[in-house]
Amino acid sequence: MFPTMFFVSVVVFFLMQMIPGDPVELKMLGDGSGDFSPEQLTLERERYGLNDHPVIQFTNWMFGVVQLDFGVSILTDRRVSEDIAIALPLSFQIAIMSTLLATLLAIPLGTLAALRQDTWVDYLIRIFSIAGIATPGFFLGIMMIIGILVITNSQWAPPFDYKPIWVDPWYNLSMLIWPALATGYRYSAVAMRMTRSTVLEVLREDYIRTARAKGLVEKIIINRHALTNAMLPVITVIGIEFAFLIGGLVVTEQVFNLAGIGNLFVTAVELKDYMVVQALVLIVAFVFVFTNFFIDILYAWLDPRIRYA
Amino acid sequence: MLIRQLFTAVLVSLVAFGIALMPTSDANAQKRGGILTYMIPSKGAASLDGHKETSYATIHPTAPFYSLLIQVDPSKPGAKELVGDLAKSWTVSSDKKTYVFKIHKGVKFHDGSDMTSRDALASWNKIVFPPQGILSARKAMFSMVDTITTPDSHTIVFKLKFASPAFIWAMAMPFNYIYSADVLAKNMRYYETKIMGTGAFKLVEYTPKVRIRGERFDQYFKPGRPYMDGIIGIFSPKQNVYVAALESGRAYSMFRGLPPQAVKDLLKARPGEFVVQSSTWNCALNITPNSYKKPFDNVKVRRALSLALDRWGGSRYLSKRAIVKTVGGVVFPGHPLAPSRRQLQTLEGYGTNVKKNREKAMQLLKEAGVPRGFKFTLNNRTTDQPYKIVGIWAVDQWRQIGLEVKQKVLPTSKFWAALRRPKSRMTEKGAFTVSIDFNCQAVVNPTVDISKYIPSSGANYGKYDDDVLERLYNEQLREPDFDKQKALLWDFQKRLTDQAWTFSTLWWHRTIVHNRRMKGWNITPSHYLNMGLVDVWLDLDK
Amino acid sequence: MTETVRVPAAADDLAAQVSWAQSILKFFREKPLGAAGLVIVLAYIITAIFADYIAPLDPLDVDYDLFNAKPSLDHLLGTDDIGRDLLSRLIYGARTAMLVGFVSSLVGATLGLFIGVASAYFGGIIDLITQRVVDVFISFPLIILALAIVTIVPDVEADMFLPEYLHWLWPDIFGTTLPVIVAITIPMIPRCARVVRASALALREMPYVDAARALGFSHLRIISRHMVPNVMAPYLIMLTAFMGQAVLLEASLSYLALGVQEPTPAWGLMLRGSAEQYFRSAPHAAIVPGLAITMSVFAFNVFGDSLRDVLDPRLRV
């Protein structure tokens, strides 16, 4: 886990070094009304330690990261942790909402498709799920906005002004439900496919045949035997997709004009705001690695074979 | 035809100076109360410190919380005179080298402390003589300042090394917030992330990239102001979002400028709901060839590029699609220092006889040995308005003199990396060939605004050397006589045009559509100006 | 998860050819959905190749009097905010999407194939290092890695490395899509390498690989002649899965204004800017390119799914 995280840091740090342009110039010249002398720019670079050798910069940064200090954003002069603390709750809420949505849709529908394999129910669910994988989240978002505009005849559009859920739950939900749907659909499609194929596999296993031969009620077979055993791969997929949800949010947040993690990331890449990009990538990678770890434990707990081994 | 042109010229200059379309506000009618929600068309401010920032993304959210020493008159933004803000009055010595500003008494900071000349001094020292490691975006503008002193607690004196008409206009830059000396003494960087001023509104909440909220500052020094109970600024970089907010009435204004199509859509969607104000914008959209690359090292080729542009026709066509309109040179069109329209038309490439211009352009290309169908690339920014649209227009103009130009749009970092390439590397293959360029300034102050065009400027992206330009610039900067200064500026323009190091296409045009309930705000030639919102009031009882 | 690999028995060329034709027929009969996907994909490819003949107008031509126009006989889908024909841009957009989709998935999957097989074949320290690198690259979401890479790779134009008379070898579209292609290819390599390696591990111990080693064949020969042909199933499955992903990723990057750049026609680009700004008055300008993306990815996916069912039902991608 830690070696992976360390190499992720190395990769992202040196990738950022390769982006053309100078972050100080990029932030100072964006709007074009200032005139800075080269000495001033050098001084500013000095402040962020950008004149040091990359290896020294990297070492300094790593020392900070180990102490959970992600440095200062070149663009905003705020601590990176502050910027992330503002953006994270919003993205995290969308992530949770779409995970819930995905799970609630995927498991029943996926199981149903497997049980009714090769009937019209199965085909319908499969098309629904393949369409979910094929539709880009941002297109779905745009379609939602168009739909809302047409249906409500321009009187209502999603709120543009984020308020945390504990401040104004209704307002918050009416804003975030749309991006959650847009990302959740794709997510549920992936999980649905996984549910279907694993349930199908399990149904072909010997012990199910034994259960049927024993004359157990079909409902018990499905619930107690088939589903429990099919859950492992499904949980894996849900877990991995959760870690990668941040990637999907990069685009969806742009559509809905949300100041979340994804938005922060895109701006930071555009303006070469090293510290923010590095911190975000580390967080995403950490969530990924940690989720994998968590899944392993869950596996052990759910699967007696692993537990007793 | 001539009459129509004359009429348009008059109208353009009137609009530019904010006389024609300015809504006249009845002094007695202002109502108190209400909260103004406005959209800030940006992803978020960089730092909050006006002294070091150069973007409207910092001005729009923060200006209501600060006062300036002097400012552009918010009720008559186009006027030739500046007015005081914290300064009650000021006097200028006969040699125009000493400026004495008297500061209002009884001004309070939001933390309750008194504002005195000490605070003004600390703030101005930060702008003019920033300490080591502190960045000031306008330090170069005040190169003429010798000393700043405070003889008493409500007087601040600026002594200049040489008299310059540019000084007082630079003083009125909207970024020159007055900060608290005590706060600065404790932490020079306090204002990068925090807000504490003497402005009409007091900060309630700032969520970066989301919103800023302010409430009326009861101890504000101007009696009876502000009218409104509070303000909410909401960040949104997306046009569809802020247009929808305006349309639904959830926000009353957006203070940057809307493209013509959005203006049309809004007026059509809710007739009678909006007030439109427009003005020439203090931003020139330019084209800069790389004179280190063949064949653009040849002045004839560069001149041909400029000659091919039908600026007057382009104005008619582009003003319907993009936020550009006015034909002009380097000096803000309509400014007293700017050449008259007739004079401008004598300039190469600015005449109305397009056919003749293009013939000459082709002749020049031939003399320079550039074949028909010659190909090159125009670098552009990824921003639609107005860059990409003007770029596409320019490509078509050049096609008509037999040049095959490809527009290459670059994301922000790549675009700036190309422009900021050091002089020594301008000959490399990766260097840009011809690029879109621009000069965006705040207070209309041509003597300083044109500093972009001098070779020693950091914004000289063509990296050209030209001693004549440098000399003319410095002469006009120090020239106290108006007519002589104007003549020098014309020489500067002529020299730049003859060399065609860089040339303007059109000036931007700013159109603001705001809710008719928002009153007391007047458009200015710059989106940096008039954001204090002190005199704005809401007419809500309907 | 267990992954089984079937090792095809050796067959002579003629039999192989017959079975090829037969299996395609069988595929069409048994997997109608997959076949439909294949047909759609082919239609996209044809559109991409013959865009010059299909498109009514040049996608870069500006109609100076018409902007944001509604659909009409002259412009079947109307025009965009600067007066370019939307239908033509849509058709040429297929060229961009297919170019990026095919090149990046082919290069990405193929490099992944060789890295995965080599890693499994050599084992030991080489395998360990490769797997570490793969681990690192897999822990970035695709789009995050792609966003960083796309800003690094410069556009490469013909005149930068080719003499004038060879410029036709490198059309403009190669130059403008190069950063996107590289950005999409790189994150795909480790994903394919991991799956291929898992299949190849079993092959390492196969008698015929042992035999080849005993005969003193070179590593390169064993890898390319004996191992690679036997991991074709996972390779092809990854390849088709990548194609859809690549098209989707290209559209996302372009939508973020960091991918393919104007004025090159691309679907993602068509969805941003004016389409979004004016979708009250002209919703079709946003809907049509979005559908084009969705349909192509849909087609790639159903085709890929059916292919997987046929080749290796137990492999999950």
Side-chain angles (χ1 to χ4, degrees):
Chain A
M1 191 162 154
F2 286 107
T4 310
M5 293 297 294
F6 176 73
F7 286 112
V8 166
S9 329
V10 175
V11 169
V12 67
F13 183 85
F14 289 97
L15 274 182
M16 289 309 291
Q17 295 287 324
M18 286 160 72
I19 291 181
D22 174 85
V24 169
E25 285 183 358
L26 280 172
K27 89 162 167 175
M28 292 305 178
L29 302 166
D31 222 30
S33 78
D35 186 4
F36 296 96
S37 64
E39 295 78 45
Q40 280 181 303
L41 292 175
T42 314
L43 275 177
E44 188 75 354
R45 266 181 226 122
E46 196 78 52
R47 211 184 128 207
Y48 300 107
L50 299 176
N51 294 338
D52 298 338
H53 190 274
V55 175
I56 295 176
Q57 285 187 47
F58 178 75
T59 322
N60 289 341
W61 175 60
M62 261 344 269
F63 269 117
V65 169
V66 172
Q67 298 159 44
L68 288 181
D69 171 12
F70 290 102
V72 173
S73 156
I74 300 170
L75 183 63
T76 63
D77 286 314
R78 277 189 297 272
R79 304 218 65 81
V80 173
S81 46
E82 268 177 70
D83 271 358
I84 291 178
I86 293 164
L88 196 63
L90 186 144
S91 300
F92 195 65
Q93 193 190 338
I94 301 178
I96 298 278
M97 280 165 75
S98 21
T99 310
L100 279 177
L101 204 86
T103 319
L104 290 179
L105 268 179
I107 294 177
L109 286 183
T111 316
L112 189 67
L115 294 178
R116 305 264 180 283
Q117 196 193 0
D118 291 329
T119 66
W120 63 270
V121 178
D122 182 27
Y123 280 121
L124 218 64
I125 292 174
R126 280 174 69 192
I127 288 178
F128 178 72
S129 101
I130 297 177
I133 294 171
T135 317
F138 60 95
F139 175 53
L140 201 61
I142 290 174
M143 293 298 288
M144 280 174 185
I145 295 177
I146 294 179
I148 294 167
L149 286 177
V150 171
I151 294 163
T152 61
N153 195 16
S154 90
Q155 293 308 304
W156 193 83
F160 50 69
D161 183 13
Y162 173 73
K163 285 180 187 148
I165 190 158
W166 55 87
V167 173
D168 189 343
W170 174 244
Y171 188 90
N172 172 284
L173 286 179
S174 65
M175 181 184 195
L176 296 190
I177 187 71
W178 308 106
L181 276 173
T183 41
Y185 179 30
R186 186 200 140 77
Y187 191 175
S188 76
V190 176
M192 209 182 293
R193 270 157 51 111
M194 190 47 103
T195 313
R196 178 181 175 276
S197 58
T198 49
V199 170
L200 273 180
E201 259 171 51
V202 170
L203 286 178
R204 291 195 204 105
E205 297 279 348
D206 292 341
Y207 58 87
I208 298 284
R209 253 180 273 158
T210 318
R212 284 205 173 117
K214 270 201 313 198
L216 275 184
V217 185
E218 190 70 15
K219 211 173 179 179
I220 296 178
I221 299 178
I222 303 296
N223 284 341
R224 191 162 305 159
H225 297 278
L227 267 185
T228 0
N229 286 302
M231 274 312 97
L232 286 178
V234 175
I235 287 169
T236 315
V237 162
I238 289 179
I240 290 175
E241 286 284 311
F242 179 79
F244 279 178
L245 207 58
I246 301 291
L249 288 179
V250 165
V251 195
T252 317
E253 283 176 5
Q254 299 286 324
V255 179
F256 290 97
N257 192 40
L258 299 169
I261 293 286
N263 217 321
L264 191 64
F265 182 80
V266 175
T267 319
V269 168
E270 268 174 350
L271 297 177
K272 212 182 169 181
D273 194 352
Y274 294 91
M275 292 300 175
V276 175
V277 175
Q278 289 163 190
L280 284 177
V281 169
L282 267 191
I283 289 175
V284 172
F286 177 76
V287 173
F288 176 80
V289 175
F290 182 77
T291 315
N292 274 341
F293 178 68
F294 183 70
I295 291 169
D296 284 347
I297 293 179
L298 208 66
Y299 255 65
W301 183 63
L302 282 177
D303 190 337
R305 276 173 301 185
I306 303 177
R307 197 175 354 163
Y308 299 126
Chain B
M1 187 61 198
L2 186 67
I3 290 177
R4 217 186 112 196
Q5 277 188 359
L6 266 176
F7 177 74
T8 341
V10 169
L11 193 68
V12 164
S13 51
L14 281 181
V15 172
F17 272 80
I19 302 160
L21 296 180
M22 221 44 78
T24 47
S25 53
D26 183 350
N28 303 318
Q30 287 95 340
K31 288 180 184 156
R32 291 179 73 83
I35 290 173
L36 171 74
T37 304
Y38 63 101
M39 305 300 286
I40 304 164
S42 151
K43 276 192 164 179
S47 92
L48 299 176
D49 183 358
H51 297 178
K52 77 180 265 201
E53 296 302 329
T54 60
S55 166
Y56 70 94
T58 295
I59 284 281
H60 284 204
T62 57
F65 303 99
Y66 291 105
S67 306
L68 307 168
L69 198 56
I70 61 169
Q71 63 178 347
V72 172
D73 190 343
S75 60
K76 296 195 291 289
K80 315 285 181 297
E81 297 294 328
L82 296 163
V83 296
D85 190 10
L86 286 171
K88 198 161 59 181
S89 64
W90 69 92
T91 52
V92 189
S93 68
S94 56
D95 65 353
K96 304 212 163 136
K97 280 166 75 172
T98 308
Y99 287 72
V100 180
F101 297 86
K102 288 278 175 201
I103 297 169
H104 279 285
K105 291 203 168 91
V107 181
K108 295 263 187 219
F109 275 104
H110 295 160
D111 66 358
S113 60
D114 287 313
M115 183 269 163
T116 63
S117 59
R118 213 177 115 249
D119 301 298
L121 178 68
S123 308
W124 278 100
N125 271 335
K126 182 166 175 289
I127 297 167
V128 182
F129 310 115
Q132 182 79 2
I134 296 291
L135 214 54
S136 163
R138 275 152 288 276
K139 185 185 171 188
M141 277 187 182
F142 294 101
S143 56
M144 70 289 271
V145 177
D146 189 20
T147 58
I148 310 172
T149 49
T150 51
D152 65 58
S153 65
H154 290 89
T155 310
I156 183 165
V157 180
F158 288 75
K159 281 216 165 63
L160 309 189
K161 289 179 217 153
F162 55 88
S164 166
F167 169 71
I168 194 75
W169 293 94
M171 288 285 291
M173 283 296 276
F175 293 94
N176 299 338
Y177 298 152
I178 301 298
Y179 295 149
S180 157
D182 288 336
V183 170
L184 285 178
K186 267 184 234 137
N187 179 4
M188 257 326 212
R189 300 196 182 282
Y190 178 87
Y191 285 99
E192 286 175 3
T193 49
K194 303 276 193 326
I195 288 178
M196 211 287 285
T198 57
F201 296 92
K202 194 176 152 183
L203 185 74
V204 175
E205 177 217 345
Y206 171 54
T207 312
K209 302 180 188 201
V210 180
R211 103 177 64 70
I212 193 153
R213 212 144 55 88
E215 60 180 16
R216 184 209 312 271
F217 178 45
D218 289 326
Q219 288 160 292
Y220 184 58
F221 71 99
K222 286 184 189 162
R225 308 288 162 83
Y227 296 115
M228 297 182 293
D229 289 340
I231 50 161
I232 301 176
I234 292 171
F235 290 96
S236 157
K238 294 192 74 161
Q239 189 185 313
N240 58 329
V241 174
Y242 54 73
V243 169
L246 285 175
E247 189 184 321
S248 62
R250 286 191 289 175
Y252 275 5
S253 190
M254 187 284 278
F255 293 109
R256 185 157 188 259
L258 284 176
Q261 177 75 30
V263 175
K264 233 168 77 186
D265 283 358
L266 271 176
L267 296 182
K268 208 175 115 198
R270 304 279 300 273
E273 189 66 13
F274 300 107
V275 175
V276 181
Q277 300 191 43
S278 74
S279 158
T280 301
W281 205 329
N282 195 10
C283 288
L285 195 64
N286 304 331
I287 288 170
T288 303
N290 177 355
S291 54
Y292 292 83
K293 262 195 179 176
K294 278 190 180 341
F296 302 100
D297 56 337
N298 188 335
V299 64
K300 286 179 178 164
V301 182
R302 298 197 299 266
R303 277 164 61 201
L305 289 187
S306 174
L307 269 165
L309 302 177
D310 173 14
R311 292 178 171 81
W312 300 96
S315 168
R316 279 189 299 276
Y317 161 73
L318 284 168
S319 61
K320 287 186 216 135
R321 289 152 178 80
I323 51 173
V324 291
K325 189 170 187 174
T326 318
V327 181
V330 292
V331 177
F332 183 72
H335 190 277
L337 285 171
S340 70
R341 187 186 163 104
R342 187 171 302 162
Q343 201 181 5
L344 188 68
Q345 285 180 346
T346 63
L347 217 54
E348 189 175 73
Y350 292 76
T352 43
N353 191 338
V354 185
K355 214 173 139 228
K356 212 178 91 199
N357 283 348
R358 295 214 171 116
E359 272 163 17
K360 191 166 170 203
M362 284 190 270
Q363 180 61 33
L364 285 170
L365 287 179
K366 208 166 158 189
E367 286 168 23
V370 175
R372 278 192 79 81
F374 176 74
K375 286 181 191 159
F376 68 89
T377 312
L378 170 72
N379 269 21
N380 209 335
R381 298 181 82 164
T382 178
T383 320
D384 285 9
Q385 285 289 357
Y387 304 98
K388 237 164 62 186
I389 298 175
V390 173
I392 285 165
W393 169 78
V395 167
D396 183 65
Q397 299 285 303
W398 289 325
R399 185 181 53 79
Q400 297 179 39
I401 58 164
L403 295 173
E404 265 186 56
V405 187
K406 197 174 68 186
Q407 178 168 232
K408 185 159 120 190
V409 178
L410 296 167
T412 316
S413 55
K414 283 182 183 168
F415 177 77
W416 282 111
L419 277 188
R420 301 283 298 182
R421 184 175 276 260
K423 197 188 232 169
S424 53
R425 296 179 51 213
M426 289 291 278
T427 46
E428 291 172 10
K429 271 195 168 160
F432 73 88
T433 313
V434 177
S435 178
I436 287 271
D437 193 352
F438 61 96
N439 186 22
C440 244
Q441 302 293 343
V443 178
V444 179
N445 181 14
T447 46
V448 173
D449 291 352
I450 62 162
S451 68
K452 178 192 166 61
Y453 302 103
I454 56 172
S456 60
S457 159
N460 164 18
Y461 299 128
K463 317 287 185 316
Y464 47 84
D465 288 313
D466 192 328
D467 295 340
V468 182
L469 281 180
E470 200 80 50
R471 178 176 56 78
L472 286 171
Y473 175 79
N474 284 319
E475 277 175 22
Q476 66 85 27
L477 193 64
R478 289 164 171 77
E479 180 55 64
D481 183 76
F482 180 83
D483 288 325
K484 281 188 195 153
Q485 191 191 21
K486 187 167 177 175
L488 281 168
L489 278 169
W490 175 248
D491 289 345
F492 185 90
Q493 171 78 64
K494 283 280 279 185
R495 171 72 190 180
L496 193 66
T497 316
D498 287 345
Q499 293 298 318
W501 299 118
T502 174
F503 49 87
S504 51
T505 57
L506 292 169
W507 284 69
W508 295 24
H509 193 79
R510 186 173 179 224
T511 307
I512 297 293
V513 179
H514 64 79
N515 197 294
R516 69 185 160 82
R517 291 176 189 87
M518 186 186 95
K519 302 209 164 148
W521 184 83
N522 302 309
I523 195 163
T524 55
S526 159
H527 56 309
Y528 301 110
L529 292 173
N530 209 3
M531 285 306 299
L533 307 179
V534 176
D535 301 313
V536 177
W537 58 281
L538 301 175
D539 193 3
L540 291 175
D541 303 329
K542 279 272 159 70
Chain C
M1 281 184 281
T2 53
E3 278 150 8
T4 58
V5 175
R6 292 168 299 157
V7 183
D12 63 283
D13 284 356
L14 189 70
Q17 268 173 25
V18 171
S19 72
W20 257 107
Q22 272 176 347
S23 55
I24 288 174
L25 267 178
K26 195 171 155 228
F27 181 76
F28 267 78
R29 219 176 316 116
E30 287 182 357
K31 301 281 173 195
L33 207 59
L38 184 62
V39 170
I40 299 175
V41 169
L42 288 176
Y44 271 102
I45 295 171
I46 290 167
T47 313
I49 294 173
F50 298 103
D52 296 334
Y53 304 99
I54 299 170
L57 293 161
D58 185 323
L60 302 183
D61 263 1
V62 177
D63 187 332
Y64 283 90
D65 297 318
L66 272 183
F67 57 103
N68 285 331
K70 297 228 151 47
S72 67
L73 279 180
D74 287 342
H75 302 282
L76 288 176
L77 286 178
T79 58
D80 66 5
D81 61 331
I82 36 183
R84 295 175 301 197
D85 184 52
L86 277 176
L87 179 64
S88 307
R89 290 187 73 72
L90 191 75
I91 290 169
Y92 274 90
R95 177 173 287 183
T96 312
M98 292 303 124
L99 182 74
V100 174
F102 277 96
V103 175
S104 53
S105 53
L106 258 174
V107 177
T110 310
L111 286 177
L113 169 75
F114 281 98
I115 291 174
V117 170
S119 170
Y121 173 78
F122 291 113
I125 186 83
I126 293 182
D127 189 37
L128 200 73
I129 292 172
T130 320
Q131 286 318 300
R132 279 283 143 262
V133 174
V134 165
D135 274 348
V136 167
F137 277 90
I138 281 184
S139 35
F140 295 94
L142 266 181
I143 192 160
I144 295 229
L145 197 53
L147 268 176
I149 297 172
V150 83
T151 38
I152 296 170
V153 183
D155 296 12
V156 176
E157 282 163 36
D159 54 6
M160 286 169 152
F161 67 105
L162 283 177
E164 183 87 38
Y165 61 93
L166 285 177
H167 278 190
W168 56 271
L169 275 174
W170 185 265
D172 282 348
I173 190 163
F174 287 7
T176 50
T177 51
L178 185 75
V180 187
I181 291 178
V182 175
I184 297 175
T185 304
I186 290 179
M188 286 188 165
I189 298 172
R191 283 171 172 76
C192 185
R194 162 162 288 186
V195 173
V196 167
R197 173 181 168 272
S199 304
L201 275 180
L203 290 179
R204 226 168 80 93
E205 310 306 327
M206 286 290 156
Y208 63 87
V209 175
D210 274 346
R213 220 178 277 156
L215 283 172
F217 287 166
S218 72
H219 294 317
L220 191 69
R221 180 166 170 167
I222 301 175
I223 289 178
S224 58
R225 297 285 287 277
H226 298 276
M227 294 190 66
V228 166
N230 287 314
V231 288
M232 271 297 128
Y235 167 72
L236 284 177
I237 291 165
M238 291 305 283
L239 182 65
T240 45
F242 282 169
M243 283 175 184
Q245 281 186 29
V247 171
L248 203 62
L249 209 52
E250 181 265 309
S252 305
L253 289 177
S254 304
Y255 175 76
L256 293 175
L258 286 165
V260 181
Q261 293 293 343
E262 285 270 8
T264 314
W267 297 330
L269 274 179
M270 293 173 76
L271 274 170
R272 63 174 274 109
S274 68
E276 261 189 307
Q277 281 155 21
Y278 307 115
F279 54 33
R280 179 152 317 150
S281 43
H284 67 276
I287 295 173
V288 176
L291 284 180
I293 301 169
T294 307
M295 210 162 79
S296 63
V297 182
F298 185 87
F300 275 123
N301 283 354
V302 285
F303 172 62
D305 267 15
S306 311
L307 197 70
R308 184 196 59 188
D309 286 353
V310 172
L311 290 175
D312 190 352
R314 292 185 69 99
L315 187 72
R316 296 196 190 94
V317 178

